[in-house]
Amino acid sequence: MSSSFQALFVDNTEPFSVAVKPVSLDDLPAGEVVIKVAYSSVNYKDGLASIPDGNIVKSYPFVPGIDLSGVVESSEDERFKPGQPVLVTGYGFGVSHFGGYSEYARVPADWVVPLPDGLSLREAMIYGTAGFTAAMSIQALEDNGVSPDQGKVLVTGAAGGVGGAAVAMLAARGYHVVAGTGRTSESDYLKGLGAAEVISRSEIYDPEAKQRPLDKQLWQAAVDPVGGNQLAAILSKIAYRGSVAVSGLTGGTKVPATVLPFILRGVNLLGIDSVFCPAELRLKVWDRMANDLKPADLETLVGREVTLAELPQSLADILKSNTRGRVLVKLS
């Protein structure tokens, strides 16, 4: 590898900056595996890492990027060999440990996942952390009895990273997917991903209408990366013994719900944490993403591909919900 390479740094030295700078291997944090990065992606958490008050980055200067795919350059751990394709998501990556917005990364071996057969390095980051979170949501729903023959499944924030991936994967599994979005102009895109129906955010939650603790049962389950008031409305509309997998908070952290959906309809609220997911489950879910959850054409999930130099604008865009689908970051 070259003695110097490029990485995107955020720095809180006045004024706060987001810029591509040269870096050497000696500047990278400790870890047993050095990876030549092929791709990373843009996630909401990465956008938060790029602003002064995002409350994501622990210390500065810092390289964000909560995921990567690439090839092992060197390894002190016998589980990984030079030239082996791998991916990294979760743990402290891109939060407390330099992340994937770098041409090379050095990480603890326990964070590294061998690239599953059936996925390319590019496809792994078309999924990225967002796709992994969506797949974990589907796994949790199916572990709790959800199946294609039981009724409709709602996906909120469907034009975003987690939502779009969930729509495509659920459709690949044969589900009747109802895509909920604040951008109904994206209806054609969402139907192209496999949504059978597209509804507006106001059809899920209308802030002007009186909210009922129990409402008409519309969906057997939901994948919700939004949270907030909308989640309370979803819970009131889930069918008997149905489930909601929640993984996000773009709609807020407060959920003004009652216990009635849980004790009168047996509804399950399933929290999805892709950061500290146990290794056994992590490997199982990635294997499914390469097999039965894999859409026929993963490229339909790609909104755009950017370079390191173009990345700051994409980080700003995701915070404004000004993205469609997945934003890939090409490193090599």
Side-chain angles (χ1 to χ4, degrees):
M1 61 177 290
S2 60
S3 59
S4 177
F5 49 91
Q6 300 292 307
L8 184 89
F9 276 87
V10 294
D11 197 341
N12 66 347
T13 303
E14 292 292 340
F16 189 91
S17 63
V18 182
V20 178
K21 297 180 180 180
V23 63
S24 71
L25 189 61
D26 291 340
D27 297 318
L28 299 181
E32 297 81 35
V33 183
V34 175
I35 300 168
K36 182 179 182 182
V37 182
Y39 292 94
S40 185
S41 72
V42 177
N43 300 276
Y44 190 76
K45 188 181 286 187
D46 300 317
L48 292 175
S50 71
I51 58 176
D53 55 352
N55 297 319
I56 293 295
V57 176
K58 308 301 183 185
S59 62
Y60 295 91
F62 189 74
V63 177
I66 61 171
D67 50 31
L68 67 74
S69 64
V71 175
V72 174
E73 179 77 12
S74 63
S75 176
E76 299 171 12
D77 188 292
E78 63 182 10
R79 289 174 292 178
F80 302 102
K81 306 298 181 185
Q84 181 179 0
V86 295
L87 61 92
V88 179
T89 66
Y91 303 100
F93 196 61
V95 176
S96 59
H97 187 102
F98 279 16
Y101 297 160
S102 175
E103 293 179 326
Y104 288 87
R106 181 163 53 199
V107 298
D110 287 344
W111 296 3
V112 180
V113 173
L115 185 73
D117 291 341
L119 284 184
S120 67
L121 292 173
R122 177 182 170 84
E123 288 174 329
M125 284 301 104
I126 292 176
Y127 279 133
T129 296
F132 179 60
T133 303
M136 282 193 64
S137 300
I138 296 169
Q139 181 71 50
L141 292 176
E142 293 185 341
D143 285 346
N144 282 272
V146 173
S147 62
D149 61 350
Q150 295 297 311
K152 301 177 180 181
V153 175
L154 173 70
V155 177
T156 66
V162 175
V167 169
M169 286 189 278
L170 285 164
R173 288 277 291 148
Y175 285 91
H176 181 113
V177 182
V178 180
T181 179
R183 293 178 279 165
T184 51
S185 59
E186 301 288 7
S187 291
D188 288 344
Y189 165 70
L190 293 170
K191 288 180 180 178
L193 294 182
E197 303 175 46
V198 178
I199 63 175
S200 68
R201 182 187 300 147
S202 62
E203 293 179 73
I204 302 170
Y205 165 69
D206 182 356
E208 303 301 321
K210 182 179 180 180
Q211 301 303 310
R212 300 176 180 177
L214 288 177
D215 211 328
K216 185 177 180 180
Q217 300 178 53
L218 299 179
W219 312 294
Q220 66 156 321
V223 174
D224 179 37
V226 177
N229 292 331
Q230 181 176 260
L231 175 56
I234 292 167
L235 289 167
S236 73
K237 299 172 183 176
I238 295 296
Y240 183 74
R241 295 188 64 79
S243 296
V244 178
V246 60
S247 61
L249 45 70
T250 57
T253 58
K254 295 182 178 180
V255 182
T258 74
V259 299
L260 296 184
F262 310 112
I263 64 175
L264 296 183
R265 289 184 180 165
V267 171
N268 301 302
L269 180 58
L270 309 172
I272 305 301
D273 168 41
S274 63
V275 177
F276 295 107
C277 172
E280 182 178 1
L281 177 58
R282 188 179 295 268
L283 292 171
K284 176 181 179 179
V285 171
W286 273 107
D287 183 67
R288 290 195 66 189
M289 292 163 69
N291 291 285
D292 68 299
L293 289 178
K294 187 177 181 180
D297 184 6
L298 264 178
E299 289 289 334
T300 58
L301 288 171
V302 179
R304 62 181 182 269
E305 181 180 299
V306 300
T307 64
L308 274 180
E310 297 166 327
L311 182 52
Q313 182 60 55
S314 294
L315 292 169
D317 286 345
I318 199 167
L319 293 178
K320 300 173 185 176
S321 297
N322 191 27
T323 60
R324 170 207 274 185
R326 303 286 291 134
V327 179
L328 279 178
V329 185
K330 185 174 175 60
L331 279 302
S332 63

